[in-house]
Amino acid sequence: MARFEVPEVDYTRYTNRQLAAVPLAVLAVALLVIGGFYATTGAPVDPGLDFTGGTELRLGIDAPQEQAREQIDGAFAATPDSVQRIQGENVYVVTFEASEATAGELEAQAEGAGFTVRSVDSVSASFGSGTQTQALLGVAAAFLGMAALVFAMFRTFVPSIAVVASAFSDIVIPVALMNLLGIELTLGTVAALLMLIGYSVDSDILLNNHVLRRSGDFYESTHRAMRTGVTMTLTSLAAMAVMAVIASLFGIGLLSSIGIILVFGLAADLMNTYLLNVSLLRWYKYEGVAR
């Protein structure tokens, strides 16, 4: 079996500013996207049913897709916020966010239109708002806890801030892409963002340890860390890509969204770790310490 080898990058060809320019530019664009979305909608990312409250129905409809969509639009007194067909089945996921109609009334309207109601899920607006607050506090607490642990491990500002900055960017970039791709913030996508914190810290701490705590030249230590870190990240990225594709084919929206977020987050992690983090560590080792 052929062994995967990470090519050795000649970092001496690039200045620290050149290495940091690309990840910082991508981060700036991501922040602009999030800021623009917040200015337009009042939220940094579109909250899903878990946080806004509402009702989701799974309806079995024995009709061609276009005809089924027309039947769904005419069946309910309120206009559905989302209608999605499950791939390979005549089943449609119909979502009403913050609708005045109760779950029972919507179910009755669906049955009255001749649909087969497979399931009904309902979340109250107050419960959804409370869940959103708890979820965002959980992400903030996880990030702050990670930052405190990193500073406790390295006890120096530049290597620690390099890890924290990379982790921050690894979260911000996928959030911006969620807005562009129309992926809603749900409990599942919050879990994906929490996973990205762990993935990011793994590769960054691995790099910092090799450069700061092991013998060898800076570039030799960096390449040693890359052989393990890049292989680890690419393996996870490939697995998440496969999950996203298969989940999309079978109409499993939550797993598809999680997979897409992790794919983009892991790709951002490769960029941030081996461009931004490397530039900060090289500056710290050859210029920052000397000063």
Side-chain angles (χ1 to χ4, degrees), residues 109-193:
Q109 292 171 14
E111 292 175 343
F115 303 151
T116 301
V117 180
R118 300 288 185 89
S119 65
V120 179
D121 295 315
S122 182
V123 178
S124 69
S126 59
F127 180 81
S129 177
T131 302
Q132 180 178 4
T133 301
Q134 292 178 357
L136 295 179
L137 286 175
V139 173
F143 188 85
L144 292 175
M146 175 274 297
L149 179 61
V150 168
F151 276 94
M153 286 179 62
F154 295 106
R155 300 181 182 180
T156 47
F157 181 75
V158 174
S160 300
I161 204 66
V163 176
V164 174
S166 293
F168 175 74
S169 183
D170 289 349
I171 294 175
V172 170
I173 292 171
V175 168
L177 288 167
M178 286 171 63
N179 290 330
L180 297 177
L181 298 175
I183 298 175
E184 296 180 337
L185 185 69
T186 64
L187 290 174
T189 53
V190 166
L193 296 176

Side-chain angles (χ1 to χ4, degrees), residues 51-258:
F51 298 145
T52 60
T55 302
E56 179 184 278
L57 298 92
R58 287 180 176 257
L59 307 176
I61 305 174
D62 189 14
Q65 186 171 351
E66 293 184 2
Q67 185 178 348
R69 291 294 182 96
E70 294 177 359
Q71 292 178 2
I72 291 172
D73 290 337
F76 299 97
T79 302
D81 292 285
S82 173
V83 178
Q84 295 180 339
R85 180 175 180 266
I86 295 179
Q87 189 74 21
E89 300 183 42
N90 289 327
V91 176
Y92 293 80
V93 180
V94 184
T95 304
F96 297 87
E97 295 180 3
S99 173
E100 295 182 358
T102 64
E105 291 172 344
L106 293 172
E107 183 178 5
Q109 292 171 14
E111 292 175 343
F115 303 151
T116 301
V117 180
R118 300 288 185 89
S119 65
V120 179
D121 295 315
S122 182
V123 178
S124 69
S126 59
F127 180 81
S129 177
T131 302
Q132 180 178 4
T133 301
Q134 292 178 357
L136 295 179
L137 286 175
V139 173
F143 188 85
L144 292 175
M146 175 274 297
L149 179 61
V150 168
F151 276 94
M153 286 179 62
F154 295 106
R155 300 181 182 180
T156 47
F157 181 75
V158 174
S160 300
I161 204 66
V163 176
V164 174
S166 293
F168 175 74
S169 183
D170 289 349
I171 294 175
V172 170
I173 292 171
V175 168
L177 288 167
M178 286 171 63
N179 290 330
L180 297 177
L181 298 175
I183 298 175
E184 296 180 337
L185 185 69
T186 64
L187 290 174
T189 53
V190 166
L193 296 176
L194 288 172
M195 291 170 66
L196 282 176
I197 295 176
Y199 279 121
S200 174
V201 169
D202 279 348
S203 56
D204 288 318
I205 289 180
L206 176 69
L207 175 64
N208 282 21
N209 274 331
H210 274 76
V211 170
L212 301 176
R213 296 180 175 175
R214 296 195 180 186
S215 60
D217 174 73
F218 174 84
Y219 300 105
E220 178 188 348
S221 300
T222 299
H223 183 61
R224 255 197 333 259
M226 287 182 69
R227 281 186 295 184
T228 302
V230 171
T231 303
M232 177 178 65
T233 302
L234 287 179
T235 302
S236 300
L237 193 153
M240 293 303 107
V242 171
M243 183 183 79
V245 171
I246 293 177
S248 298
L249 292 176
F250 285 93
I252 310 173
L254 177 59
L255 288 181
S256 176
S257 297
I258 291 174

